[in-house]
Amino acid sequence: MKARITVLTLGVDDLEASLKFYRDGLGLPTEGIIGREFEHGAVAFFELAGGLKFAIFERSSIAHDATVPQSGRSPTELTIGHNVASEAEVDAAMTEAVKAGARVVKPAQKTFWGGYAGYFQDPDDHLWEVVYNPAFIPKD
């Protein structure tokens, strides 16, 4: 299998609330919710760097689509890393996330490996790590 991951989808409990958090709070670009005309079809896509798409889809719709039982929230199953170019950018991103409605679970701090990072949870408890890693500085 070639590593062609093009879409990452998070299951959410309230699609409208999650759209507001990601679009209005974090400023991620999107055309909004599409597919409302289909049962279990409403989804929102966000454009990320490098052509990657980020989607939010109701948990019940994921369960229906994949034909698996819906499970509860599990924040430790996956983390999303948001790399930035400085410690100040980590602090700014964490502040922006809190203003959008996120909950800080680990304040930004120096790491044992020489970087600087913190964690927040979105309204559905998904963990986001905001990190400055001198070895992985983004090229924006």
Side-chain angles (χ1 to χ4, degrees):
M1 183 168 112
K2 293 187 178 185
R4 289 193 183 129
I5 297 171
T6 57
V7 179
L8 295 175
T9 303
L10 291 182
V12 300
D13 292 326
D14 182 333
L15 194 58
E16 293 284 345
S18 292
L19 174 66
K20 183 178 177 185
F21 175 78
Y22 286 110
R23 180 191 60 201
D24 303 337
L26 297 186
L28 299 183
T30 182
E31 293 181 17
I33 297 172
I34 60 170
R36 292 181 198 260
E37 67 273 23
F38 305 107
E39 184 179 9
H40 303 290
V43 63
F45 292 97
F46 302 87
E47 297 290 329
L48 302 181
L52 182 65
K53 297 219 186 300
F54 169 66
I56 52 175
F57 196 34
E58 289 186 339
R59 290 177 204 278
S60 60
S61 294
I62 292 174
H64 178 271
D65 192 46
T67 66
V68 298
Q70 183 174 338
S71 61
R73 293 179 176 187
S74 181
T76 58
E77 296 297 318
L78 168 80
T79 65
I80 301 168
H82 176 63
N83 288 314
V84 297
S86 69
E87 292 181 12
E89 286 185 45
V90 171
D91 293 335
M94 294 288 285
T95 298
E96 182 179 8
V98 168
K99 286 180 185 173
R103 182 172 61 90
V104 172
V105 294
K106 182 178 181 184
Q109 57 194 266
K110 299 272 187 195
T111 65
F112 69 91
W113 44 265
Y116 185 77
Y119 282 93
F120 69 81
Q121 285 183 293
D122 73 5
D124 288 281
D125 296 331
H126 299 292
L127 281 171
W128 285 73
E129 181 184 25
V130 182
V131 58
Y132 163 65
N133 182 336
F136 296 137
I137 296 178
K139 297 180 189 219
D140 349 322

